[in-house]
Amino acid sequence: MTYCVAISVDAGMVFCSDSLTNAGVDQVSTYRKMFRFGIDGEKQFVILTSGNLATCQATIAKIKNDISQNIRPNLLTVLNLEEAADYVGDISREQQQKRMVDGKNFEASFIVGGQVRDGRHEITMIYPEGNYITTSEDTNYLQIGESKYGKPILDRILSPSLDLDTCAMCALVSMDSTMRSNLSVGPPVELLILKHGDLTPKDHIRFDEDSNFLRELKKEWDEHLKDAFRQMPPLSWAANWDKSNHEQSGTS
């Protein structure tokens, strides 16, 4: 299983991915799911992968080969993120078709985010069929893989005006929540921050399984959640409050 999330706000973008691949309780391996391509000072793209491992690896290998062999189009010749999404979606479909057996399709999904020159930064999620959706003011994050456990914190915290450090912490808490509830998602965890207009990214961090930061993050988040829960109003108070309101509304 996989969990990847990409966040887009006014200040830029944040990408976060786990590295665990699980094909059964006795077949657990570690593979990267975050890849960066770009020309410093001109354009940058980040790709997150989820789904069939062979399809994901073949798609990334094709992207790398097109660049190294200067085959056109390639990811470094596209003019905008829409062209990048179409390009990655086409390769993904081709690789899935190559691996189809008895009508069974080995599907993969991708998140592609980036910026070209002075254009706006954008994030797209590419479905196995090759079509895609983008972030917006109302939907400023996209997820692939095991998305449900890490979604609540994103819905509650994220807003377009948020700074990138806060977005990065939100992504890591989202990842921690997912790892807590699904053992097939796990470290190493990769985090990449791409500031708007900064086409020479430097903020790329990898947290290994023995990371003290991840351990402290988990501990602090657990404690703060428990503290918040303990401060919730007691059920008896809520029941009495509702009863009082009901009686008042009935007499008015």
Side-chain angles (χ1 to χ4, degrees), residues 176-243:
D176 175 77
S177 299
T178 304
M179 292 190 296
R180 176 66 180 265
S181 297
N182 190 325
L183 296 178
S184 64
V185 176
V189 172
E190 289 192 74
L191 179 75
L192 190 150
I193 300 173
L194 189 59
K195 301 176 183 176
H196 176 77
D198 184 1
L199 298 178
T200 309
K202 311 173 190 66
D203 299 322
H204 185 188
I205 309 169
R206 173 186 164 113
F207 301 99
D208 291 321
E209 186 173 3
D210 59 352
S211 166
N212 289 328
F213 178 84
L214 285 185
R215 189 177 300 112
E216 189 65 19
L217 173 70
K218 176 182 177 62
K219 176 184 175 184
E220 290 293 324
W221 183 241
D222 284 348
E223 290 180 357
H224 287 319
L225 279 178
K226 292 174 182 177
D227 287 341
F229 186 81
R230 283 191 287 265
Q231 294 176 34
M232 294 292 289
L235 184 60
S236 58
W237 178 88
N240 291 334
W241 190 89
D242 286 341
K243 181 180 179 182

Side-chain angles (χ1 to χ4, degrees), residues 6-67:
I7 299 169
S8 176
V9 293
D10 295 341
M13 298 171 288
V14 172
F15 303 86
C16 188
S17 65
D18 82 312
S19 300
L20 209 62
T21 298
N22 190 312
V25 294
D26 57 349
Q27 295 183 9
V28 180
S29 303
T30 299
Y31 291 97
R32 288 191 62 195
K33 301 168 187 176
M34 179 186 295
F35 304 88
R36 182 174 69 86
F37 302 88
I39 301 173
D40 287 351
E42 183 176 339
K43 61 182 69 173
Q44 294 293 329
F45 296 105
V46 178
I47 300 179
L48 307 178
T49 68
S50 172
N52 180 262
L53 181 60
T55 301
C56 291
Q57 290 186 337
T59 300
I60 295 298
K62 172 64 173 169
I63 293 171
K64 292 179 177 179
N65 182 71
D66 285 355
I67 293 173

Side-chain angles (χ1 to χ4, degrees), residues 1-6 16-22 33 48-52 109-111 125 141-154 171-186:
M1 186 55 74
T2 294
Y3 179 51
C4 299
V5 59
C16 188
S17 65
D18 82 312
S19 300
L20 209 62
T21 298
N22 190 312
K33 301 168 187 176
L48 307 178
T49 68
S50 172
N52 180 262
S109 300
F110 300 86
I111 288 177
M125 180 173 68
Y141 70 88
L142 293 171
Q143 303 165 289
I144 51 177
E146 183 60 272
S147 60
K148 57 183 177 290
Y149 301 114
K151 191 175 187 297
I153 183 68
L154 302 173
L172 289 172
V173 171
S174 177
M175 180 63 71
D176 175 77
S177 299
T178 304
M179 292 190 296
R180 176 66 180 265
S181 297
N182 190 325
L183 296 178
S184 64
V185 176

Side-chain angles (χ1 to χ4, degrees), residues 113-145:
Q115 183 179 357
V116 178
R117 298 184 183 88
D118 296 328
R120 60 174 182 164
H121 60 271
E122 296 180 271
I123 295 173
T124 65
M125 180 173 68
I126 304 171
Y127 294 102
E129 296 78 11
N131 56 328
Y132 57 88
I133 61 173
T134 65
T135 52
S136 66
E137 288 188 4
D138 297 322
T139 305
N140 51 12
Y141 70 88
L142 293 171
Q143 303 165 289
I144 51 177

